[in-house]
Amino acid sequence: MEPMQGYRPSARRRAMTRRKEMPLWQELPLLLVVAFCLAVLIRTFLVQAFYIPSGSMEKTLLVKDRVLVNKVIYDMRDPVRGEIVVFRGTDNWAPEVSEPVSNSFAAKLGRTIGDLVGVSRPGERDFIKRVIGLPGDKIACCDAQGRITVNGVGIDEAYIADGYNSDINQPPNPTQCTSRKFAEVTIPAGEMFVMGDHRAVSQDARCQGPVPIKNIIGRAFVIVWPSSRFTSLSVPDIWKTYAVDHPTAAAEGQVPVRRETPATDALIVPFLLSAGLSARSGLPFATRRRRLRS
């Protein structure tokens, strides 16, 4: 069969060959803008780095550590006891910052840019603590061994370092978390009970009250800086065992997820930006993807 008149299968290829590639001095600023936009999108929807400003989570987290926070995990599921979460405190929660903050123009500019790309310190109302109780749980301290109890079960918290627990002999104070003892609290629907690992200094739900689950920013899942402290922040075995042995409040449908649908736009927009950059550079998106594999 003879080919159709006027049909030229390589016309597109020849046209693309003739097309001049974008000069480096033009493409580099575009790449920087796209990279910045991607960083902002990732920080807004997916993952954000947080700076640890206080010692309330020692020795799990030290001052000046940086952790990565997964911001979409609780769009998929409910929080789990033992996880470390970043959240916005209520009006009852006092700011917990141990380092002075410079107010110079350069410092403010650096914090603004850092906040946009997700590498700045948290705000005054942002806190990082460990989830101890979920809606419907009864939390108290202490049992005969000086441990907190969840629904009457004592928890051996191996992540609390020696000398970092609060004083068991000091009487409870409803406004200061200086004592280990506190009366039993039943966690209301839609809220969680959180505590710092350094119980001697942490101001947490013991004296400032439970926190709405909808206030969660995300789950801290890894320490990324300094490099010598790089490690994952997994759920301790004691909490995994407890979850297996005791049905959670979440199983009864008492813990609401933060949003009704996942933030899928966070995945779509970076894809569109990447595709747009490829088209602007004169190469099909599929071609660039294949080159990255080689």
Side-chain angles (χ1 to χ4, degrees):
M1 179 182 296
E2 295 182 359
M4 296 176 58
Q5 270 191 338
Y7 178 71
R8 295 188 301 172
S10 60
R12 175 178 173 80
R13 183 176 300 176
R14 289 199 302 268
M16 291 186 62
T17 302
R18 289 195 301 268
R19 184 184 300 173
K20 293 182 179 180
E21 291 189 3
M22 182 184 298
L24 179 61
W25 65 271
Q26 289 181 352
E27 188 168 7
L28 184 58
L30 179 61
L31 288 171
L32 292 175
V33 170
V34 171
F36 180 80
C37 291
L38 286 173
V40 172
L41 287 169
I42 290 171
R43 171 249 188 265
T44 303
F45 296 106
L46 298 178
V47 177
Q48 182 175 356
F50 272 91
Y51 172 93
I52 305 302
S54 75
S56 67
M57 282 295 294
E58 292 180 348
K59 290 187 172 182
T60 305
L61 300 174
L62 305 181
V63 177
K64 297 184 180 181
D65 279 355
R66 288 188 184 274
V67 298
L68 290 185
V69 173
N70 184 331
K71 303 183 74 172
V72 297
I73 187 170
Y74 298 126
D75 292 324
M76 315 297 179
R77 65 166 177 81
D78 299 321
V80 173
R81 300 184 195 92
E83 291 181 327
I84 297 175
V85 296
V86 174
F87 60 93
R88 293 184 181 87
T90 65
D91 292 339
N92 296 331
W93 283 64
E96 191 177 55
V97 178
S98 62
E99 292 188 340
V101 178
S102 172
N103 289 319
S104 67
F105 174 77
K108 290 181 178 179
L109 179 62
R111 287 197 296 269
T112 300
I113 296 175
D115 184 61
L116 284 174
V117 298
V119 295
S120 66
R121 69 176 63 213
E124 289 187 350
R125 288 294 175 184
D126 294 342
F127 299 85
I128 184 165
K129 306 289 181 185
R130 190 182 298 274
V131 178
I132 302 296
L134 298 173
D137 285 343
K138 298 181 184 298
I139 314 296
C141 193
C142 305
D143 65 3
Q145 299 179 42
R147 305 173 299 181
I148 63 167
T149 61
V150 179
N151 300 321
V153 179
I155 305 297
D156 290 310
E157 300 179 279
Y159 46 80
I160 299 180
D162 291 340
Y164 283 72
N165 213 336
S166 46
D167 188 356
I168 195 172
N169 296 315
Q170 189 168 347
N173 186 333
T175 60
Q176 288 288 329
C177 301
T178 52
S179 172
R180 191 184 312 183
K181 297 179 181 178
F182 59 91
E184 183 178 88
V185 178
T186 300
I187 312 305
E191 299 192 355
M192 60 181 179
F193 194 92
V194 295
M195 300 175 71
D197 290 355
H198 191 344
R199 302 285 161 80
V201 301
S202 176
Q203 300 298 297
D204 47 46
R206 291 174 290 170
C207 56
Q208 302 191 106
V211 178
I213 291 175
K214 67 180 182 181
N215 284 19
I216 294 178
I217 296 172
R219 177 194 173 187
F221 64 95
V222 64
I223 302 173
V224 293
W225 190 261
S227 57
S228 59
R229 286 183 43 75
F230 182 87
T231 186
S232 62
L233 298 171
S234 58
V235 175
D237 290 340
I238 184 64
W239 289 112
K240 294 178 181 177
T241 302
Y242 182 91
V244 171
D245 294 342
H246 305 275
T248 65
E252 301 173 6
Q254 297 184 30
V255 185
V257 293
R258 293 171 56 220
R259 288 192 289 264
E260 293 182 357
T261 55
T264 53
D265 51 342
L267 303 178
I268 295 172
V269 176
F271 176 83
L272 293 177
L273 279 173
S274 298
L277 176 60
S278 300
R280 181 71 180 85
S281 300
L283 289 172
F285 181 71
T287 302
R288 285 209 162 197
R289 185 171 56 187
R290 285 196 298 270
R291 288 188 179 183
L292 290 174
R293 290 175 181 169
S294 61

